């Protein structure tokens, strides 16, 4: 075995290729690229980014307290709606509060998120989200339907708390299980890719050239001797100065280190990011893959976000509202992406038919009210049952 191959073997290189016509070597450092241990989903940047984006979007939605009336559903504004939509507790805004709930639901709580309502003299005072680390669920012995919510070691009736769930457990249907199973292997792959990239960036086995000497002499058998040799022949005194070395004693070969492109790291990471996006139900461009697409964004809001929102508003209505005519609704329509002209055209078409007034149009166009409260219709828009009474259809003499 040659001196070079013995040195490569000692250093832990995995692959070495040379040829007389093209002396190029591929080097891979060993011993520092293995990635072992458990990977939490919350430690993965892609999974964290996708879940946080969903949580922040839901946290930005206005929460409406609605009432069923004979004239349709109308919004109610009172102290209850203010607590739910503006000040759910003394230390958090509604946006922070809802973001924490959804992050527990999707990531920290493995598909479960608990909120405890606090009341005083029968009135709701605050809504406290509980950290996932403080909560556990205890099935009642012999029952798959009944359970207790254990918070800080104290059992509570599920009817006394808000229990939001995502992806029901196949055995205990009242319990969520999140996306841990679906994303576990992908998280490990992404962590390994990041670890490999970091190892390449700091690897010592990336020389740009190899200088071969004619024999393993005493001069190059020690680090000090090799350093003196480099300083004598190879190391230039000034930047850009050419090397002057004895041709019969030295041979210089080019070395191309094994790069991330050779390992297809970029393609693998991009594929894993797209898989994460598909499992989470978010557009891939939110994770840095591809370009923004308006139809893809709107589909994301109308599917992934809307499904989660409906579960949240139904659980909040069940736990907080006692009137059979009242319910809570999150305004997910505000998240849809429509350009200003398309929105204006839709509203103007509604204004022609008397569906909206001028101030409603100005509000959606981000303009101040101008006192345009009247609902107007064009002259030829009449009720269908009066279409036969138009003068143009009445013959002369009738």
């Amino acid at each position: 075995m040659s001196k070079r191959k013995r040195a490569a073997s000692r250093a832990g290189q995995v692959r070495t290729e040379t040829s007389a016509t093209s002396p190029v070597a591929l080097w891979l450092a060993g011993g520092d690229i293995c990635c072992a241990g458990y990977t939490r989903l919350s430690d993965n940047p892609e999974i964290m980014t996708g879940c946080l984006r969903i949580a922040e979007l839901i946290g930005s939605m206005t929460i409406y307290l609605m009432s069923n009336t004979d004239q349709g559903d109308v919004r109610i504004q009172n102290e209850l709606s203010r607590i739910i939509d503006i000040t759910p507790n003394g230390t958090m805004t509604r946006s922070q509060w809802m973001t924490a709930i959804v992050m527990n639901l999707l990531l920290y709580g493995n598909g479960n998120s608990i909120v405890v309502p606090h009341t005083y003299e029968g009135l709701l005072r605050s809504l406290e989200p509980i950290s996932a680390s403080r909560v556990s669920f205890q099935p009642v012995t012999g029952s798959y339907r009944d359970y207790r919510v254990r918070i800080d070691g104290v059992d509570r009736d599920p009817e006394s708390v808000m229990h939001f769930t995502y992806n029901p457990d196949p055995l205990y249907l009242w319990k969520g299980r999140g996306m841990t199973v679906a994303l576990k292997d992908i998280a490990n792959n992404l962590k390994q890719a990041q670890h490999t990239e970091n190892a390449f960036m700091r690897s010592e086995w990336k020389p740009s050239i190899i200088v071969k000497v004619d024999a393993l002499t005493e001069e190059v058998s020690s680090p000090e001797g090799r350093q003196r040799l480099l300083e004598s022949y190879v190391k230039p005194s000034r930047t850009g100065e050419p090397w002057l070395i004895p041709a019969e004693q030295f041979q210089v070969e080019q070395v191309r280190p094994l790069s991330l492109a050779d390992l297809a790291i970029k393609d693998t990471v991009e594929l894993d990011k797209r898989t994460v996006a598909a499992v989470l139900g978010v557009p891939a461009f939110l994770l840095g893959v591809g370009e923004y697409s308006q139809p893809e964004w709107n589909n994301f809001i109308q599917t992934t976000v809307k499904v989660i929102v409906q579960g949240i508003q139904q659980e909040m209505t069940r736990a907080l509202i006692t009137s059979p005519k009242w319910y809570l609704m999150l305004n997910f329509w505000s998240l849809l992406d429509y350009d200003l002209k398309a929105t204006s055209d839709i509203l103007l078409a509604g204004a022609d038919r008397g569906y909206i007034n001028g101030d409603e149009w100005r509000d959606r166009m981000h303009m101040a009210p101008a006192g345009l409260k009247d609902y107007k219709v064009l002259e030829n828009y009449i009720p269908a049952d009066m279409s036969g009474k138009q003068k143009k259809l009445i013959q002369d003499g009738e």
Side-chain angles (χ1 to χ4, degrees):
M1 182 182 293
S2 67
K3 296 186 293 297
R4 179 181 175 183
K5 290 185 177 180
R6 287 198 300 270
S9 178
R10 290 193 300 269
Q13 277 86 36
V14 175
R15 180 183 174 192
T16 304
E17 298 178 358
T18 60
S19 65
T21 58
S22 179
V24 177
L26 300 180
W27 292 56
L28 174 63
D32 61 346
I33 296 184
C34 179
C35 179
Y38 172 70
T39 303
R40 297 186 302 176
L41 297 185
S42 58
D43 292 337
N44 182 271
E46 289 78 13
I47 296 174
M48 170 64 78
T49 299
C51 292
L52 183 60
R53 179 52 61 92
I54 295 174
E56 289 176 338
L57 288 172
I58 296 177
S60 69
M61 296 182 188
T62 303
I63 304 176
Y64 294 159
L65 176 60
M66 305 295 293
S67 176
N68 299 126
T69 69
D70 295 337
Q71 303 298 320
D73 295 354
V74 297
R75 183 181 179 185
I76 301 175
Q77 293 178 313
N78 55 21
E79 286 301 314
L80 176 61
S81 67
R82 178 178 177 81
I83 290 177
I84 295 173
D85 186 49
I86 300 178
T87 56
N89 58 55
T91 58
M92 305 175 74
T93 64
R94 183 254 302 157
S95 179
Q96 295 172 320
W97 176 76
M98 184 59 72
T99 300
I101 291 175
V102 180
M103 288 300 289
N104 273 343
L105 183 65
L106 298 180
L107 195 58
Y108 305 131
N110 293 332
N112 298 274
S113 186
I114 297 296
V115 175
V116 177
H118 295 285
T119 61
Y120 178 74
E121 295 182 351
L123 298 178
L124 181 66
R125 295 303 183 187
S126 67
L127 298 166
E128 178 190 5
I130 306 299
S131 171
S133 61
R134 298 169 53 194
V135 180
S136 62
F137 302 94
Q138 304 298 323
V140 174
T141 303
S143 174
Y144 292 104
R145 182 175 59 87
D146 298 326
Y147 68 102
R148 292 293 180 268
V149 179
R150 181 168 294 177
I151 303 175
D152 297 330
V154 179
D155 287 350
R156 292 176 178 264
D157 190 330
E159 295 294 326
S160 66
V161 300
M162 287 191 287
H163 181 191
F164 304 98
T165 62
Y166 184 77
N167 187 14
D169 185 88
L171 182 59
Y172 299 107
L173 301 180
W174 43 264
K175 181 181 179 181
R177 63 171 182 169
M179 295 168 289
T180 303
V181 177
L183 292 173
K184 181 177 65 175
D185 292 339
I186 305 173
N188 288 332
N189 292 343
L190 290 169
K191 182 180 179 181
Q192 178 62 64
Q194 183 63 42
H195 195 81
T196 302
E197 183 177 350
N198 292 338
F200 267 84
M201 294 299 101
R202 65 172 183 267
S203 175
E204 297 178 359
W205 303 106
K206 286 188 174 183
S208 58
I209 63 169
I210 290 180
V211 180
K212 299 172 63 176
V213 297
D214 57 350
L216 189 61
T217 62
E218 181 179 356
E219 185 178 11
V220 295
S221 61
S222 65
E224 294 80 7
R226 290 191 293 271
Q227 183 64 33
R228 287 194 300 271
L229 184 67
L230 289 173
E231 292 177 352
S232 299
Y233 292 102
V234 178
K235 186 176 181 181
S237 59
R238 293 189 299 271
T239 301
E241 186 177 11
W243 292 355
L244 299 177
I245 60 177
E248 67 278 2
Q249 296 182 4
F250 297 94
Q251 180 181 353
V252 180
E253 294 186 359
Q254 175 190 1
V255 175
R256 181 172 65 86
L258 188 63
S259 66
L260 296 177
D262 297 318
L263 297 178
I265 292 293
K266 179 179 181 298
D267 296 337
T268 302
V269 169
E270 182 173 325
L271 179 61
D272 286 338
K273 285 185 177 182
R274 290 188 181 276
T275 305
V276 170
V279 174
L280 293 178
V282 304
F285 59 77
L286 291 181
L287 304 183
V289 180
E291 298 181 354
Y292 173 78
S293 169
Q294 183 187 47
E296 190 176 358
W297 172 267
N298 287 337
N299 181 69
F300 160 59
I301 299 299
Q302 292 176 313
T303 53
T304 301
V305 173
K306 183 179 179 181
V307 168
I308 297 174
V309 163
Q310 286 180 333
I312 291 175
Q313 64 189 23
Q314 289 170 5
E315 176 63 14
M316 292 179 65
T317 300
R318 180 202 66 80
L320 301 178
I321 305 301
T322 58
S323 171
K325 294 186 176 181
W326 288 9
Y327 65 93
L328 293 169
M329 180 183 72
L330 279 75
N331 182 24
F332 80 93
W333 294 98
S334 61
L335 303 181
L336 295 174
D337 181 19
Y338 294 117
D339 61 81
L340 199 61
K341 184 178 186 306
T343 303
S344 176
D345 291 344
I346 294 172
L347 295 175
L348 288 176
D352 290 344
R353 291 160 175 80
Y355 300 151
I356 66 172
N357 59 40
D359 276 351
E360 290 172 333
W361 179 88
R362 293 176 64 88
D363 178 67
R364 293 300 301 273
M365 295 297 104
H366 308 288
M367 300 170 66
L372 305 175
K373 301 297 185 182
D374 296 333
Y375 292 90
K376 299 179 180 180
V377 296
L378 295 180
E379 182 182 17
N380 58 332
Y381 289 103
I382 61 176
D385 57 355
M386 297 182 62
S387 59
K389 298 182 179 181
Q390 299 180 83
K391 291 185 178 180
K392 63 182 180 180
L393 298 180
I394 300 177
Q395 300 180 359
D396 294 338
E398 292 186 1

